[in-house]
Amino acid sequence: MRKKITTLFLLITVLVNAQEDITKGFKLLEKGDFQKAEIFFENYLKMDSNNKTAKLCYGRAVGLSGEPSKANKIFSNLLKEYPGDFEIQINYNESFLWDKKFKEAKPLYKSLVEENPTNFGAVLGYANTLSNLQEYPQALQVVNNAISIQPKNSSAKVSRKFIKLGYANSYVNKQEYDKAISLLTEIFEDFEEDKDVLLNLANIYLITKNIPIAKSIYKRYATTSKDSVTSLNGISLAEHLDENDREALEVAENAMLKIKTINDSELEEKTYERYIQALIWNNKYGNAKSEILIAENKYPNRNWINALKATKGMYTGDFKTSLLNYNQILDRDTTSFDGNLGKANALFASDKIIPAYEAAFKTLEIYDQQKDALSFIDKLNIKFTPTVEEHLAYTFDNGNNVAFSSKTSIDVPITTKLVTSLSYQYRKTENTVTLNKATAHVLLAAVAYKIIPKTNLKAIFGINNSTSTTISYTQPVFDIKLQTQPFKLQNLDLGYQREVQSFNADLIEREIVMNHFGLNYNLGTNFKLGWYTQLIHTQQTDDNVRNLLFTSLYYNIFKKPAFKIGINYQYITFKDQLPTIYFSPSKYQAFEFFSDLRGNFTEKTSYMLSAATGLQKVEEDLKTVIFRAEAGVNHQFSKRWSGNLYGKYSNIASATAAGFEFTEIGLKIKWLFLKEPLYYKNLKK
């Protein structure tokens, strides 16, 4: 009897100890210490190999510690041993989610919910599966069902939050921003001033250029020291998008000061990245280069450092460096948005159009309907879509000459390398005192071919038929030009042009043909200074010879609006002086100060305004004041229609063949008569 009591006591003790032991495993799972839980249950099953609960917990520990396929097999075997067991079935379904096999999980959860429509775990698991498949409308409906089963369950509300975040993002990708904002603000009903929601709302307002609202949301985000740094990083970007780059740098510098007191390495990197971006935005390329070197030593092999190098390359015209760094990003992460679309932009800047298209298409394969990628492709398409343009102009001068001209041009890019053009110009001139009249008809055909990237050959051939009161003639005209970019930030054009003088009736009557041999050179810099030079040697059929030098040193003060100032110098000589026929001094010099402003009134309406004033000297005459000005407004009526209205005035002696001051008013209308380039359909295949 005593032996039986002792045996019973030992059995009870073993059972109690076993229960206490398995409780330790439960606690490890609850704490998320899955690797220790896996070891615990593996050892436990050596003592009690038939314990279903231990087997189930072991499967969960295995799956959640990073081996979902192994866990799936464990649950699959348990289902064979315990067919129809709900707990095993729901864990089996969940193992597919751990392994990101959402398509396989969907029918399993659907069946489980149909059999157990009021089981919270099954319904919530089904909602999460649909969310991962981006089937947001149904996911939202199912998660609401889960919440109706357990209204106070926080896990279900968290799931609903992330479903709404994903759903809102899908609307953002479709550019349906109001729907996205509505969904995001609904989340505040469950999670007041939720930080994820605030960041997503701020991002939408940045995309839609509602900068003041975006900045106010970032300020709402700043409720802690750490979050205030994130807020400043966002405000810095907002200032940049609002074209306030100085303010963007000041805000980024403030964030750099604050991050020093916060122990968060990820946020530190993001803040450092924004600071260097702000340096680049402000053309502080030397400082940016130094900071990038420091960052690279501190944070090696980071994509954001490569992205900064690439951005600096894009700003400074070093596109080879940009391509190199975008490729390095893609070597680490083929799905990188910055890498793929950045590469597309760098290829376009390098004049490699087809590869740029391909990089943009790759971006859309990964990020379906992404706005920036679609806009980039649209930009390329507009550049190469066939167009027709009508240019009307009315000119008058103080020599009593008036002229009306109409020019119709058709440009048809056959490929990204070959562009063809056809134009017809009609010009009617008259002197209101002498009543001398003349008309000119000019028909031109042109071909432009890209030999290699950044090197184009352009040839124009045609005829000029001119008729005056006493004479009528037809002359061939042509223009051949080689356009190159031999070095970074440099342009060099070499050309020959044959044209007939047609400024006024008297000149048309004399049938003067001019043969121009020209060179144009422009040197840009990374410190806002530029230098442009033009040299033209002209031989005329009246045996006169002209030499022209024009050089301009300019400084870019602002980027947006684009505002530059500079000084121009012009020097002209003629072999023969024929002042009664046309302006032809033995020596002419002009020195002027100019300014040029270009910007936008609205998103679709832009403007330009330029003016110059200075002194000119004709041979040994006294110096006289010169002035010229031009203003224009361009409006984009639609994606395919645009118009430009302009006016210009000049009293510079070299501005016209006769040396008179003149005024011109003009209108240009441009139409993209096809929806896309001729080659585009084949390119998309």
Side-chain angles (χ1 to χ4, degrees), residues 80-150:
K80 293 174 184 176
E81 189 176 350
Y82 303 98
D85 186 286
F86 178 81
E87 288 299 326
I88 297 172
Q89 182 67 53
I90 199 169
N91 277 276
Y92 175 67
N93 292 3
E94 193 174 357
S95 68
F96 285 102
L97 302 187
W98 301 334
D99 206 14
K100 301 189 185 302
K101 294 181 178 179
F102 307 118
K103 289 183 179 179
E104 291 86 343
K106 180 181 175 181
L108 296 172
Y109 270 113
K110 183 179 180 182
S111 176
L112 192 65
V113 169
E114 287 173 353
E115 294 171 4
N116 304 273
T118 60
N119 184 277
F120 174 78
V123 176
L124 184 60
Y126 188 33
N128 289 333
T129 302
L130 293 168
S131 177
N132 281 300
L133 289 170
Q134 299 183 16
E135 298 179 16
Y136 297 117
Q138 190 179 357
L140 188 57
Q141 182 181 348
V142 174
V143 79
N144 284 335
N145 291 341
I147 291 172
S148 68
I149 296 168
Q150 291 190 17

Side-chain angles (χ1 to χ4, degrees), residues 36 45 59 83 149 175 239 362 366-367 421 426 464 543 635:
K36 287 184 179 179
L45 286 169
I149 296 168
Q175 301 179 40
E239 294 288 7
K362 177 72 179 296
I366 303 166
Y367 302 93
S421 303
Y426 169 76
N464 180 316
D543 293 326
H635 184 72

Side-chain angles (χ1 to χ4, degrees), residues 199 206 218 221-222 226-240 248 251-259 266-278 281:
L199 288 179
L206 289 180
Y218 279 125
Y221 186 91
K226 178 181 174 181
D227 290 344
S228 69
V229 175
T230 301
S231 170
L232 289 171
N233 289 340
I235 291 171
S236 177
L237 176 61
E239 294 288 7
H240 168 63
V251 174
E253 289 171 337
N254 191 11
M256 284 290 288
L257 290 173
K258 287 182 176 292
I259 196 63
E266 183 180 353
L267 182 58
E268 183 182 274
E269 290 188 39
K270 289 180 178 178
T271 305
Y272 205 175
E273 179 185 11
R274 179 69 79 236
Y275 170 63
I276 298 173
Q277 284 176 336
W281 298 335

Side-chain angles (χ1 to χ4, degrees), residues 160-408:
R160 181 163 68 179
K161 166 190 159 179
F162 284 101
I163 288 169
K164 287 184 176 181
L165 284 172
Y167 199 0
N169 187 61
S170 71
Y171 279 126
V172 171
N173 289 338
K174 292 186 285 187
Q175 301 179 40
E176 297 181 37
Y177 301 115
D178 290 340
K179 291 181 179 179
I181 291 169
S182 177
L183 269 171
L184 289 170
T185 52
E186 286 178 11
I187 298 173
F188 288 140
E189 296 173 9
D190 293 326
F191 303 96
E192 187 177 356
E193 291 294 273
D194 181 85
K195 296 301 177 75
D196 292 322
V197 175
L198 289 172
L199 288 179
N200 276 271
L201 283 171
N203 184 56
I204 291 173
Y205 288 117
L206 289 180
I207 292 171
T208 56
K209 301 296 174 66
N210 287 314
I211 305 301
I213 299 177
K215 287 164 64 176
S216 70
I217 291 174
Y218 279 125
K219 290 174 182 176
R220 284 165 58 186
Y221 186 91
T223 56
T224 66
S225 297
K226 178 181 174 181
D227 290 344
S228 69
V229 175
T230 301
S231 170
L232 289 171
N233 289 340
I235 291 171
S236 177
L237 176 61
E239 294 288 7
H240 168 63
L241 294 175
D242 205 26
E243 302 175 5
N244 300 319
D245 286 337
R246 289 184 181 178
E247 289 83 350
L249 180 56
E250 290 176 4
V251 174
E253 289 171 337
N254 191 11
M256 284 290 288
L257 290 173
K258 287 182 176 292
I259 196 63
K260 292 178 181 178
T261 62
I262 298 167
N263 184 22
D264 188 317
S265 58
E266 183 180 353
L267 182 58
E268 183 182 274
E269 290 188 39
K270 289 180 178 178
T271 305
Y272 205 175
E273 179 185 11
R274 179 69 79 236
Y275 170 63
I276 298 173
Q277 284 176 336
L279 288 174
I280 295 170
W281 298 335
N282 283 273
N283 305 321
K284 297 181 181 294
Y285 304 123
N287 293 345
K289 182 179 179 180
S290 299
E291 294 293 345
I292 289 171
L293 287 172
I294 295 169
E296 194 167 23
N297 289 328
K298 190 174 182 180
Y299 311 108
N301 301 317
R302 296 292 202 276
N303 281 349
W304 62 269
I305 292 177
N306 287 108
L308 288 171
K309 289 181 180 180
T311 301
K312 178 175 168 289
M314 294 295 288
Y315 271 71
T316 59
D318 189 359
F319 307 126
K320 288 183 179 179
T321 295
S322 297
L323 273 173
L324 175 66
N325 281 279
Y326 284 130
N327 282 329
Q328 287 179 359
I329 292 172
L330 294 173
D331 287 342
R332 296 192 201 104
D333 179 9
T334 58
T335 65
S336 167
F337 175 75
D338 289 339
N340 281 289
L341 192 58
K343 182 177 180 179
N345 277 287
L347 287 166
F348 173 64
S350 302
D351 203 23
K352 298 176 180 178
I353 308 302
I354 297 300
Y357 268 114
E358 291 169 349
F361 291 150
K362 177 72 179 296
T363 306
L364 287 175
E365 287 176 13
I366 303 166
Y367 302 93
D368 186 41
Q369 297 299 306
Q370 206 285 327
K371 180 184 178 183
D372 294 328
L374 290 172
S375 296
F376 176 79
I377 291 171
D378 204 36
K379 178 175 71 174
L380 293 184
N381 284 347
I382 289 172
K383 181 178 176 66
F384 293 99
T385 296
T387 63
V388 58
E389 181 179 86
E390 181 64 29
H391 179 190
L392 303 174
Y394 177 72
T395 305
F396 58 92
D397 63 35
N398 65 344
N400 303 308
N401 296 295
V402 296
F404 169 78
S405 68
S406 169
K407 183 178 181 180
T408 304

